[in-house]
Amino acid sequence: MANQLIWQDRFNIGVDIIDNEHKKLFGILNRMFAYKTDDSKKQWLCQEGIKYFKDHAMKHFTEEEQYMASIDYAGFETHRHVHDNFRRKTLPALEAELTQSSFSNDAIDHFLGVCAGWLLGHTVTEDRAITGKVTSKWVDLLPEDQQSAMRNMIIQLLADMFQLKARVVSDCYGGEKFGNGVYYRLVYGSDKGERWETILGFEEKLLLSTIGGMMNIESEEVSVMLINIARYMAQQFVQRIKEWFPSSESYEMKEERLLSYEQFKKNFARERPQSSFLFDTGKGYFAYCVIAPHLLGNTQIVGDGTVIKAENAMSEIKNYLKENEASHRKKILIVDDSEVIRKAMKDLLGRDYAVTLAKSGISAIRIMSAEKPDLILLDYEMPICNGCQMLEMIRSEDDLADIPVFFLTGNVARETVQKVISLKPAGYLVKSLKPAEIKKSIDDYMKKRAEA
Ligand code: FEO
C-alpha cells in the first residue's frame, strides 16, 4: 500500500493562503507516493512530479515569508533559516542523489521519505508557531560558527574513520525517515548534574557496507557483532567531536541506548535539538543530533529504548535487533471468524510477516485504521458482515481504499469472487490449498509489490 499523508484540521494555522498551499503540497506528495507503485506513472513522478513539488514549495516559502514579514513575526529569521535549509541544502542534495543514481528506488524512497517527513514535521511545528499555536522547535540551535565547526568535523570524521565522502542533506534535521535504520543514543553528564545527549542514526545498509566491509562480514543483515563494533566506533566518533568543544571536557558517558525509529522520533517531539544534521554518505544516510536538555532546565534522563550495559549487552542487542527487524516486516491482517484458520494462518505467515488477527469485520476496521496493513486476507464467508461487504467498506474509506485485499474462500469460489471484481480484490486463496502454496502466493505478491 502506498504511503499517504493525511491532512487534519489541527494542521490549519488559520491563514488561508498558507493552509491551502500546505494542503496542495500534501496532495502532490500523496500523488507521488501513489505513482511510485505504478509502473506506467513512475516516469511522471521522476520527470515532472519532483519538479512540480519543488516549484510549489519554493512559491509557498516566498508567500509564507511575505506573510510573516507583514505581521512582524518574532520568529521570522529562524523560520526563514529552516526554509533556506530545505531549499538550499535538502532539496538539492536529494535531487543530486536522484540524478547520480539514475532515479534508483532507494533515491526515490529517500526523496519521498525526507520530503514527506519534513513537510509534516514543519507544518505541525514551525508553521503553527506563526500564529502562536505551538512553540518553535529550532530556537535553541548552536550559534552558526559552532554549527558549522561541528558539521565540518563530522564530514572529516566520516572520511577518516569510514572513507566516506558525505554531503549535507539537512542542517535542521527533524527525524525524517530515510529508510531502515539503527539509532544509538549516548547520554553524557557532568558532576554538576548537567547533561547532553548525542543520537547517531545509521541507515542499515551504511552499517553493512562500512563496518561490515571492514570486518569482512558478508551477511546482509545487521548482527549483534556488527552493532557492538558500531557502538564502540560511535563512542570514539563522539569523543573526537567532544574534544573539539572544550566546554564538554568534564562530561562523562552515563548511559547508552538503542532506539527504534519511533523512539528516536519521539526525541524531536519531546526536546529541542541544539544541533541536528542529516548526511548522505553515498552508501547510506547518517544522522547526528545533539540535545542539551540542561540548557533548557531539564536535568532528568528520560526516553525509552533499550539501555545497554556491559552485563546485558549481548541479550539486549539481540532483542533490539529482533524488534527492529519485526518493525521492518510487512504487515498482514487476517480476518476470519474461525479460530482454527486464524491460528493456522498465523503459524504459516508469522515468521516472515508481522501478522495481526481479527475475528470480525468490525474489529478489523479498527485495526486497519490504526495499523495500515500492507495486505489483508479476508474470509469471504463470515457471518453478519461478510467479506464482500467488508471490502466495500474498505474501498469507501479514503485512507484505507488502497490496501490490497485477498479473499480467503472455503471452496473454489471463482464465480462468487468474480461477482465482486469491481471492488478490485488483489486475488483470492482457497483455504484447502496446501499451506506452502498459500505462503508462496503471498510471498510472490508481496515481492512483486516491493519491486513495483
Ligand atoms: Fe509552510 Fe514554513 O512552510
Side-chain angles (χ1 to χ4, degrees):
M1 178 200 170
N3 289 321
Q4 290 286 292
L5 294 169
I6 312 290
W7 182 264
Q8 297 176 23
D9 259 358
R10 69 184 180 95
F11 298 167
N12 285 312
I13 74 163
V15 179
D16 283 352
I17 192 172
I18 295 177
D19 291 331
N20 291 340
E21 199 60 28
H22 286 159
K23 281 181 209 156
K24 191 168 280 174
L25 288 167
F26 269 54
I28 298 171
L29 279 174
N30 281 342
R31 194 165 156 201
M32 288 161 79
F33 273 124
Y35 284 10
K36 182 183 167 287
T37 51
D38 184 334
D39 275 347
S40 63
K41 291 174 175 160
K42 205 159 159 187
Q43 205 177 1
W44 179 90
L45 189 166
C46 299
Q47 289 178 351
E48 304 294 330
I50 286 161
K51 187 174 174 305
Y52 190 48
F53 173 75
K54 186 177 151 186
D55 289 349
H56 264 280
M58 297 302 137
K59 176 175 160 284
H60 166 61
F61 289 161
T62 306
E63 286 171 353
E64 194 176 275
E65 285 163 15
Q66 281 165 354
Y67 175 77
M68 288 190 283
S70 76
I71 60 164
D72 284 330
Y73 174 50
F76 176 57
E77 284 307 326
T78 308
H79 199 127
R80 185 165 60 182
H81 173 79
V82 179
H83 284 175
D84 276 349
N85 197 273
F86 189 71
R87 64 187 150 202
R88 294 189 187 153
K89 292 198 173 81
T90 307
L91 271 178
L94 292 167
E95 283 184 297
E97 189 193 13
L98 283 166
T99 317
Q100 283 163 20
S101 71
S102 305
F103 291 83
S104 69
N105 280 339
D106 259 0
I108 294 174
D109 282 345
H110 283 154
F111 184 93
L112 290 175
V114 172
C115 287
W118 188 92
L119 180 64
L120 187 60
H122 182 78
T123 306
V124 300
T125 57
E126 298 314 296
D127 289 340
R128 290 173 76 224
I130 299 173
T131 44
K133 290 185 162 49
V134 292
T135 311
S136 167
K137 186 167 65 178
W138 298 109
V139 287
D140 302 300
L141 281 177
L142 288 176
E144 178 48 38
D145 57 335
Q146 289 189 36
Q147 283 277 80
S148 143
M150 190 178 291
R151 182 178 58 230
N152 295 340
M153 184 86 188
I154 294 169
I155 290 175
Q156 187 60 44
L157 280 173
L158 287 169
D160 292 349
M161 290 174 82
F162 302 111
Q163 294 180 315
L164 295 168
K165 204 165 168 345
R167 155 169 71 198
V168 178
V169 176
S170 175
D171 276 357
C172 298
Y173 171 60
E176 293 86 33
K177 186 149 191 174
F178 48 73
N180 294 340
V182 170
Y183 304 91
Y184 182 56
R185 177 180 184 232
L186 287 162
V187 181
Y188 294 82
S190 74
D191 295 344
K192 295 180 200 151
E194 298 158 328
R195 71 181 172 94
W196 59 273
E197 305 174 10
T198 299
I199 309 179
L200 299 93
F202 302 88
E203 193 166 2
E204 282 188 357
K205 64 179 187 178
L206 173 65
L207 279 184
L208 289 163
S209 65
T210 52
I211 297 176
M214 285 153 80
M215 302 302 297
N216 225 2
I217 299 172
E218 283 185 6
S219 165
E220 291 196 357
E221 281 177 19
V222 176
S223 63
V224 175
M225 185 202 271
L226 196 128
I227 294 265
N228 268 325
I229 299 166
R231 279 171 58 216
Y232 291 116
M233 291 195 82
Q235 286 171 28
Q236 286 171 38
F237 196 99
V238 177
Q239 183 61 28
R240 290 273 301 276
I241 292 176
K242 198 165 152 270
E243 283 161 10
W244 213 85
F245 290 90
S247 60
S248 65
E249 257 173 31
S250 61
Y251 285 75
E252 279 180 19
M253 197 174 92
K254 299 286 182 197
E255 192 187 90
E256 48 172 326
R257 293 184 191 223
L258 285 164
L259 310 178
S260 66
Y261 173 69
E262 277 66 32
Q263 291 162 343
F264 166 67
K265 194 143 195 305
K266 265 193 208 162
N267 282 271
F268 292 91
R270 191 176 49 228
E271 292 172 304
R272 300 196 293 270
Q274 276 67 54
S275 218
S276 189
F277 300 101
L278 181 65
F279 299 91
D280 174 8
T281 69
K283 295 197 169 171
Y285 275 38
F286 173 69
Y288 193 92
C289 317
V290 178
I291 297 169
H294 68 273
L295 295 178
L296 309 172
N298 173 9
T299 54
Q300 256 190 328
I301 298 179
V302 289
D304 7 65
T306 305
V307 179
I308 307 295
K309 293 187 178 148
E311 60 271 24
N312 71 5
M314 295 306 279
S315 59
E316 287 301 322
I317 294 172
K318 209 180 263 178
N319 285 341
Y320 169 79
L321 286 175
K322 215 157 129 194
E323 280 166 26
N324 220 24
E325 201 254 333
S327 72
H328 301 159
R329 281 186 296 173
K330 295 283 180 202
K331 293 180 274 187
I332 297 184
L333 170 63
I334 297 167
V335 192
D336 202 303
D337 61 315
S338 155
E339 194 180 346
V340 177
I341 297 289
R342 289 199 304 273
K343 183 176 181 315
M345 294 301 283
K346 176 146 193 176
D347 290 347
L348 181 67
L349 302 170
R351 203 184 145 95
D352 295 334
Y353 301 97
V355 172
T356 310
L357 304 174
K359 62 179 174 186
S360 71
I362 302 301
S363 60
I365 290 279
R366 235 185 357 249
I367 294 168
M368 268 175 236
S369 305
E371 291 195 1
K372 304 278 159 50
D374 298 285
L375 177 67
I376 300 170
L377 303 184
L378 185 57
D379 181 16
Y380 192 82
E381 292 106 356
M382 280 187 299
I384 307 173
C385 177
N386 69 25
C388 177
Q389 292 161 329
M390 268 288 301
L391 184 54
E392 229 177 303
M393 279 198 271
I394 295 168
R395 295 292 181 250
S396 67
E397 287 292 321
D398 281 353
D399 57 334
L400 305 178
D402 288 341
I403 305 179
V405 173
F406 266 60
F407 279 125
L408 286 169
T409 65
N411 48 47
V412 185
R414 183 188 293 266
E415 301 75 22
T416 326
V417 174
Q418 290 289 338
K419 282 186 203 156
V420 292
I421 214 78
S422 63
L423 293 173
K424 300 200 176 106
Y428 62 92
L429 291 164
V430 180
K431 289 177 189 172
S432 57
L433 280 174
K434 287 183 185 147
E437 289 173 316
I438 294 182
K439 174 82 172 23
K440 185 173 181 315
S441 299
I442 292 168
D443 288 346
D444 288 349
Y445 179 77
M446 292 300 233
K447 197 162 166 241
K448 215 167 105 198
R449 273 186 74 83
E451 288 166 358

